[in-house]
Amino acid sequence: MREEEAHILFEINSTITNKSMQSHIQHTFFVPEDTDVIYVDFSFDPPHQTDVNENKRLMEEASMYYESKLPQNGEELIRNLLTLSIDDHDGFRGARHYHSPTQHVMISDFHSSPGFLNKRNPAGLWSVTVSIHALVTESCQFKLRVYKKPHSANKTLIPWRDKPLCQPIKENVISFPSYPSIEGPVKWVPSELHTHTFHSDGKQSLIEMAGVAKEMGLKAVVMTDHNTISPFEEMEQAEVLSGLHILYGLEWTTFYGHLLTLGYDSPTYTDWRVIGPLDIEKGIKEIRQHDALVGIAHPFRIGNPIGTGCHWEFPVESLSIFDFIEVWNSTRPGSKAYNQRAFHYWTDLLNKGYRITATAGRDWHHNEEINPLPAITYVQMSQVSEDKNIFRTAFLQSIRAGRISISYDKPLELIVMQEEKTYRVGDVINKDENQPFIVQVSSEEWDFNDRIDRKGAFMVIVTNEGEHFTGSIGQFQLETEIANKDLKWIRAELYASIDNGDPELVAFTNPIYMK
């Protein structure tokens, strides 16, 4: 054996067709003892569909299917997307949901590439997996080489599913849970639940993001990179520098939907690659074993192959298996059509008797936007402990219970009073039909910026029976009486004009429930 061959651990040049889209190709190879550094070179070609007519056809097909209007200027290039993940002999080593057609990965004790963990390279069987998220050309060639040191030297069939969230919602026959009311003084914890760094497809480090989060006044952030936990290695330093509570999370970026997982009890990777299109409940069961919450991210964003896996397409027996649904995604979320669909879908779930928390996620990838108007998820807690474990437990319990108010600025405070009892968002009221509800909505005064017009802003009290009361914000509070005979839930909403446009939703609360 020549010396050059001895350094190459694995090499393959392969041609795949578009019939291979939404599949994994796993290659196994042996790593000998004392392999300090492993290098992986990966490339694929062509990187995108070059046929102008085919690009246009794909855009039109996706736009019609997802009922989302896309720009048609003839310049869009719909791209192939192939990504790498690697397992060493002991398990998951890393992944990078990266969009470049040429990739170079280094794996070692201290200098691993973004997305890959720094630790000793164990001897034994390893595997490298090529995940084919999108393949919009008839065929594609990829080259893969693994080595110990640098060497010298037609119409696309898109396997969409049945859009389960577009099917009629069945009445919930499962009694929804009640959680203990918060006793004593309460506090809103401004939070961000959906974040990314350059360890996947973001442009920032965790430390950089945490610094901006501190400037924004946030108190808690969940780190949810795509399919990797390597940014967790920076969490302790980021927490010290920023003073934030940073929780372990992960965005399962699968072929059939993105699942946000929040608040693992330890730095834990749960593997999405072994989950098929009918296996999501199996995956959720594994996640829950680590005491994490699960929710659907941006359920109605346009999906394959434009936004690979972004539209939720996993069939589920009941939406009750989820702790939350991300009804607002990205910046200025109230203006986006796919968020409006998610908000209406959540409302329909409430009307059908489901208890599921609504959250917002900036889907934070970079800090390049000027005055981006992100929505802040305010989590209501009775204690804000400095102890990491105590805070995590209370924070997750409040999210699970729906003790959340979401706003571009200050949170809306919703209170329902019946006789001498007071209820807050997330509480469940045992109705006394002879006693009406007194409903109060208030907010601290907003720091209106030059994009939001305070004039004409108004609050709305909404129930399963529709809008019950609308009033101008005045002193940022309103009060009304509502008969409770047929009520299932109550929430508050705030509307305002942005950039001189029509009024749009800029804040809302989760409900107070009745049974």
Side-chain angles (χ1 to χ4, degrees), residues 200-248:
S200 59
D201 61 349
K203 296 182 179 180
Q204 59 193 348
S205 69
L206 175 56
I207 293 173
E208 290 169 338
M209 182 184 66
V212 176
K214 179 181 179 181
E215 293 174 1
M216 292 172 57
L218 299 183
K219 301 299 182 183
V221 168
V222 186
M223 182 67 258
T224 60
D225 249 327
H226 296 284
N227 298 337
T228 189
I229 59 173
S230 59
F232 292 176
E233 295 172 339
E234 296 180 334
M235 281 182 59
E236 183 175 351
Q237 183 182 6
E239 285 183 316
V240 170
L241 292 175
S242 66
L244 297 176
H245 289 280
I246 304 179
L247 283 72
Y248 303 117

Side-chain angles (χ1 to χ4, degrees), residues 178-327:
S178 298
Y179 299 94
S181 298
I182 295 179
E183 301 295 336
V186 297
K187 184 174 182 179
W188 291 110
V189 179
S191 311
E192 176 55 58
L193 307 182
H194 191 164
T195 63
H196 299 287
T197 71
F198 60 70
H199 286 264
S200 59
D201 61 349
K203 296 182 179 180
Q204 59 193 348
S205 69
L206 175 56
I207 293 173
E208 290 169 338
M209 182 184 66
V212 176
K214 179 181 179 181
E215 293 174 1
M216 292 172 57
L218 299 183
K219 301 299 182 183
V221 168
V222 186
M223 182 67 258
T224 60
D225 249 327
H226 296 284
N227 298 337
T228 189
I229 59 173
S230 59
F232 292 176
E233 295 172 339
E234 296 180 334
M235 281 182 59
E236 183 175 351
Q237 183 182 6
E239 285 183 316
V240 170
L241 292 175
S242 66
L244 297 176
H245 289 280
I246 304 179
L247 283 72
Y248 303 117
L250 185 72
E251 183 177 6
W252 273 30
T253 310
T254 80
F255 302 144
Y256 304 103
H258 292 191
L259 186 78
L260 273 181
T261 68
L262 310 179
Y264 292 91
D265 53 13
S266 61
T268 303
Y269 177 78
T270 49
D271 195 350
W272 71 277
R273 295 166 300 172
V274 297
I275 301 301
L278 302 176
D279 299 332
I280 191 62
E281 294 188 36
K282 174 184 175 183
I284 290 174
K285 182 178 180 181
E286 168 67 19
I287 293 164
R288 290 199 186 282
Q289 290 179 357
H290 302 282
D291 200 24
L293 305 186
V294 292
I296 303 175
H298 45 67
F300 291 101
R301 284 189 68 171
I302 192 166
N304 305 304
I306 314 301
T308 55
C310 288
H311 194 285
W312 186 264
E313 295 177 2
F314 280 107
V316 292
E317 186 68 25
S318 171
L319 271 295
S320 295
I321 64 174
F322 298 104
D323 298 298
F324 63 92
I325 182 169
E326 186 185 68
V327 301

Side-chain angles (χ1 to χ4, degrees), residues 7 18 33 36 62 98 132 138 163 173 236 255 295 344 360 399 457 464 492:
H7 295 151
N18 53 26
E33 292 282 354
D36 296 330
Y98 193 47
I132 308 164
E138 285 190 2
K163 295 196 297 186
V173 296
E236 183 175 351
F255 302 144
H344 291 313
I399 295 175
N464 54 289

Side-chain angles (χ1 to χ4, degrees), residues 58-69:
L58 285 169
M59 283 285 187
E60 291 174 347
E61 183 182 349
S63 178
M64 180 178 298
Y65 182 85
Y66 287 108
E67 302 174 3
S68 298
K69 187 174 181 180

Side-chain angles (χ1 to χ4, degrees), residues 412-414 439-443 459 461 476-479 492:
L412 297 182
E413 182 86 45
L414 173 66
V439 182
Q440 293 181 345
V441 184
S442 62
S443 174
M459 287 181 176
I461 294 174
F476 286 85
Q477 62 183 11
L478 58 84
E479 180 177 314

Side-chain angles (χ1 to χ4, degrees), residues 65-85:
Y65 182 85
Y66 287 108
E67 302 174 3
S68 298
K69 187 174 181 180
L70 293 168
Q72 296 290 334
N73 57 22
E75 298 179 358
E76 295 84 8
L77 294 175
I78 305 179
R79 299 181 179 276
N80 292 328
L81 177 58
L82 283 68
T83 65
L84 289 183
S85 54

